[in-house]
Amino acid sequence: MKKELEHPLLHSINDFNEAKQVIAGGVNSPVRAFKNVGGVPPFIFKGRGFSLFDVDGNTYVDFVQSWGPLLFGHADSEIEERVISTLQRGLSFGAPTELETTLAKKLVISYEGVEKVRLVSSGTEATMSAIRLARAFSGKDDILKFEGCYHGHSDSLLVSAGSGCATFGHPSSLGVPRDFSKHTLVARYNDLDSVRACFKEGNIGGVIIEPIAGNMGLVPAKLEFLQGLQKICQQNGAVLIFDEVMSGFRASARGSQGLHYLVPDLVTFGKVIGGGLPLACFGGRAEIMAMLAPVGGVYQAGTLSGNPVAVAAGIVALEKIKRDPKLFERLEVLAHQFCEGLKQAANSCGFALQTCVRGSMFGFFFTDKEVQNFEDARQSDTALYATFHQKMLQKGVYLPASAFETSFICTPMDASIIEACVGKAQESFYEIQNQI
Ligand SMILES: Cc1ncc(COP(=O)(O)O)c(C=O)c1O
C-alpha cells in the first residue's frame, strides 16, 4: 500500500462534473456524492476481491463493499461464473423459474419464522410491501418505526421523530405528504418507554425495526429491548417486522437470529441475498403472506422481481455461506482486529472512539459515550469522522462516506491487510492530531 494516492483524482473530478450534467446531483444514490465527508468521490473502474480501482489508477481497500452485498468481495469467481451461465439462457422472462423456488427454499431454511417469501428487486420494495401487509393483516393504519433506522425511501418510512415528546413523525423528505407521515409514529431505539408512549397514542398495526441497526452507524438493539418490543406487539395485535436487509447473512448466517433467536412475524432481506445484483425479499408467517395477491387482497408486483440472473447470484452467495460454517467467526475476528487497532490508534492520539462488531459488520463513533440510539450517535464528532475519512481515502482505504453508516469485512480480507489498514489509521490520527 502506498502512503498517498498515487494519482490525483483528475479523471474522477471530470467524470463527476460530466455526470452532474445529466444525473441529478451526479449520483444515483445521495451518499455516493461524498457530501457528508467532503472531497470528490473517486469514480470506480473495477473491483476485485477487497480492492476497488478508480478511473485515475488508484487502488483502495474497500470496507464499503457496495454497502453490504459483497460478502465475498468484488467479482467473486463462483458468483461470476453462475451469473454468466445463467444470463446466457436469457436475462428476464417475467414468468416463473425453478431458480426462484431454489432461492426461496434457502431463505425459508435459513431463518426461523419464514414460511413463505416474495422476491423483489430492492430493500425499499421489501419493507414497503411488508408494511402494507402488516396494515392489511392487523386492520390498522398506524405503524411504528425507530429514529435512526432506515428502511428505504418509501413515503411511510421516510419519517423522522417529531419535536419534543411528540410521537407522530414528520416527513424527513420534501414531497412526503403529512397525511402519510401522520400514520408513522417514531420511537427511540432501545427505549421501551418510548414504544409504550407510541402505542398509547396511535392505533399501531405494524412495527418495523432493524434488530441490528446499521444506518445510524452500527447500533445493535439490546436483547431485553427486542423481547419487550415483541411482547408489546403481541399484546396489541401489531405485526413485528425485522428489517434484516443489511444484517441478514451479514451479522451471522441467520442474521440477528444468530445472536438472539427472536422470531418476528415478518422479515425483510436484501443486499447479500442478491450476491451483488438487485434482489431483496420479504417473508414470514404463512397466514400473513397468504394475504398477498394472487391469493389474497394485498397487491404487490414487479416486472423484474425474481430476475433469474440476480436470483442465480443470490443462490451462489447462500450456498457459499452454508458451505463454510466458520465463515462469520473468521470475519468477526478480522472486524475485531480492525476495531481494536483503530481504537488504540485513535486513543494514542487523544481521540475517544467507540467501536462495535457484529459478525462481518463493524462501526465506530468518535465519542467517549456508549451509543445506544440515534441521539447518542448524533452527539459523536462527525466533523472528525469526515477528516478521518478523507485521510484514509488518501492512503487508499475506502470507508463509508458518512459517520452514520456501517462498514463491512469481506472474505478475501486477511489479518495482514487489516494490519496494514490499522497502520494507515495510525498515520491518519497522527496527522490530524498534528494538523499535518
Ligand atoms: C436496513 C435497510 N433496509 C432497507 C434498505 C433499503 O434497501 P435498498 O437500498 O435496496 O432499497 C436499506 C438500504 O441500505 C437498509 O440498510
Side-chain angles (χ1 to χ4, degrees), residues 344-351 425-431 433-434:
Q344 270 179 22
N347 292 168
S348 74
C349 293
F351 302 115
Q426 181 74 65
E427 286 172 28
S428 298
F429 288 128
Y430 179 82
E431 288 172 14
Q433 184 190 30
N434 294 286

Side-chain angles (χ1 to χ4, degrees), residues 29 67 121-127 149-153 208-210 212-215 243-247 268 270-271 278-280 405:
S29 199
W67 304 97
S121 300
S122 71
T124 295
E125 281 178 82
T127 56
C149 286
Y150 175 69
H151 307 289
H153 60 92
I208 186 162
I209 186 167
E210 288 179 80
I212 300 171
N215 287 288
D243 180 356
E244 302 233 31
V245 165
M246 188 188 290
S247 53
T268 55
K271 299 190 190 266
L279 180 71
E405 297 285 355

Side-chain angles (χ1 to χ4, degrees), residues 17-292:
N17 287 334
E18 209 173 316
K20 282 182 196 162
Q21 308 294 316
V22 285
I23 298 174
V27 290
N28 287 311
S29 199
V31 72
R32 297 179 197 171
F34 276 35
K35 212 172 153 191
N36 293 320
V37 289
V40 169
F43 269 53
I44 304 305
F45 173 65
K46 71 170 183 180
R48 278 279 174 280
F50 57 70
S51 296
L52 275 180
F53 301 80
D54 73 16
V55 291
D56 291 285
N58 300 299
T59 308
Y60 307 87
V61 178
D62 180 15
F63 286 105
V64 178
Q65 294 296 329
S66 191
W67 304 97
L70 306 179
L71 183 62
F72 301 99
H74 295 276
D76 174 78
S77 59
E78 278 180 79
I79 294 178
E80 225 177 53
E81 278 162 28
R82 192 80 64 90
V83 162
I84 291 167
S85 64
T86 307
L87 68 81
Q88 284 169 338
R89 301 206 307 264
L91 290 173
S92 176
F93 310 118
T97 61
E98 291 174 351
L99 288 171
E100 290 155 90
T101 311
T102 304
L103 180 62
K105 280 184 182 167
K106 289 187 187 302
L107 293 166
V108 167
I109 287 168
S110 302
Y111 202 91
E112 185 71 28
V114 174
E115 295 170 333
K116 294 255 168 78
V117 298
R118 170 72 52 93
L119 304 182
V120 292
S121 300
S122 71
T124 295
E125 281 178 82
T127 56
M128 180 183 76
S129 307
I131 291 289
R132 187 174 300 150
L133 259 185
R135 283 179 162 145
F137 188 74
S138 65
K140 297 188 247 186
D141 286 345
D142 292 344
I143 57 164
L144 175 70
K145 79 176 282 287
F146 291 86
E147 207 186 359
C149 286
Y150 175 69
H151 307 289
H153 60 92
S154 68
D155 282 347
S156 289
L157 293 167
L158 270 192
V159 173
S160 51
S163 56
C165 53
T167 50
F168 284 93
H170 63 80
S172 61
S173 162
L174 292 176
V176 174
R178 283 202 175 274
D179 278 350
F180 289 13
S181 70
K182 75 179 186 196
H183 287 295
T184 304
L185 290 89
V186 184
R188 191 181 296 124
Y189 202 71
N190 275 323
D191 182 347
L192 282 179
D193 284 343
S194 95
V195 172
R196 288 187 198 101
C198 289
F199 268 90
K200 253 192 207 142
E201 204 147 327
N203 188 21
I204 295 171
V207 174
I208 186 162
I209 186 167
E210 288 179 80
I212 300 171
N215 287 288
M216 49 174 145
L218 183 59
V219 183
K222 306 236 184 268
L223 176 60
E224 322 79 72
F225 169 72
L226 286 178
Q227 286 167 333
L229 181 65
Q230 180 162 52
K231 206 163 158 200
I232 293 171
C233 286
Q234 285 161 353
Q235 286 163 346
N236 290 276
V239 173
L240 178 61
I241 306 164
F242 278 0
D243 180 356
E244 302 233 31
V245 165
M246 188 188 290
S247 53
F249 304 96
R250 260 293 175 192
S252 85
R254 293 184 291 124
S256 70
Q257 282 188 340
L259 307 165
H260 57 54
Y261 210 68
L262 285 172
V263 181
D265 300 303
L266 293 175
V267 63
T268 55
F269 294 117
K271 299 190 190 266
V272 172
I273 71 160
L277 288 175
L279 180 71
C281 83
F282 60 102
R285 277 163 55 193
E287 61 173 328
I288 303 180
M289 295 301 286
M291 294 197 73
L292 272 182

Side-chain angles (χ1 to χ4, degrees), residues 230-419:
Q230 180 162 52
K231 206 163 158 200
I232 293 171
C233 286
Q234 285 161 353
Q235 286 163 346
N236 290 276
V239 173
L240 178 61
I241 306 164
F242 278 0
D243 180 356
E244 302 233 31
V245 165
M246 188 188 290
S247 53
F249 304 96
R250 260 293 175 192
S252 85
R254 293 184 291 124
S256 70
Q257 282 188 340
L259 307 165
H260 57 54
Y261 210 68
L262 285 172
V263 181
D265 300 303
L266 293 175
V267 63
T268 55
F269 294 117
K271 299 190 190 266
V272 172
I273 71 160
L277 288 175
L279 180 71
C281 83
F282 60 102
R285 277 163 55 193
E287 61 173 328
I288 303 180
M289 295 301 286
M291 294 197 73
L292 272 182
V295 181
V298 176
Y299 192 69
Q300 184 280 331
T303 302
L304 290 175
S305 287
N307 172 265
V309 183
V311 168
I315 289 172
V316 183
L318 298 196
E319 280 170 359
K320 284 171 74 92
I321 291 171
K322 179 100 194 285
R323 208 194 292 152
D324 185 353
K326 297 264 180 226
L327 185 147
F328 287 95
E329 242 172 76
R330 249 184 5 257
L331 299 187
E332 184 158 310
V333 168
L334 295 177
H336 277 298
Q337 184 193 344
F338 188 62
C339 283
E340 277 155 30
L342 207 60
K343 196 173 169 82
Q344 270 179 22
N347 292 168
S348 74
C349 293
F351 302 115
L353 194 79
Q354 296 286 321
T355 63
C356 179
V357 170
R358 288 293 182 276
S360 64
M361 306 163 73
F362 70 90
F364 55 94
F365 292 102
F366 289 105
T367 174
D368 53 10
K369 192 177 153 207
E370 191 200 347
V371 175
Q372 295 194 33
N373 54 46
F374 192 45
E375 233 168 275
D376 297 339
R378 258 198 308 239
Q379 281 167 21
S380 68
D381 190 341
T382 53
L384 177 55
Y385 182 88
T387 309
F388 179 64
H389 179 273
Q390 286 171 25
K391 291 274 179 205
M392 291 294 269
L393 191 77
Q394 279 298 313
K395 296 174 202 322
V397 182
Y398 194 89
L399 291 169
S402 158
F404 302 129
E405 297 285 355
T406 292
S407 301
F408 302 98
I409 303 286
C410 61
T411 57
M413 291 178 177
D414 60 16
S416 65
I417 195 67
I418 297 291
E419 196 184 323

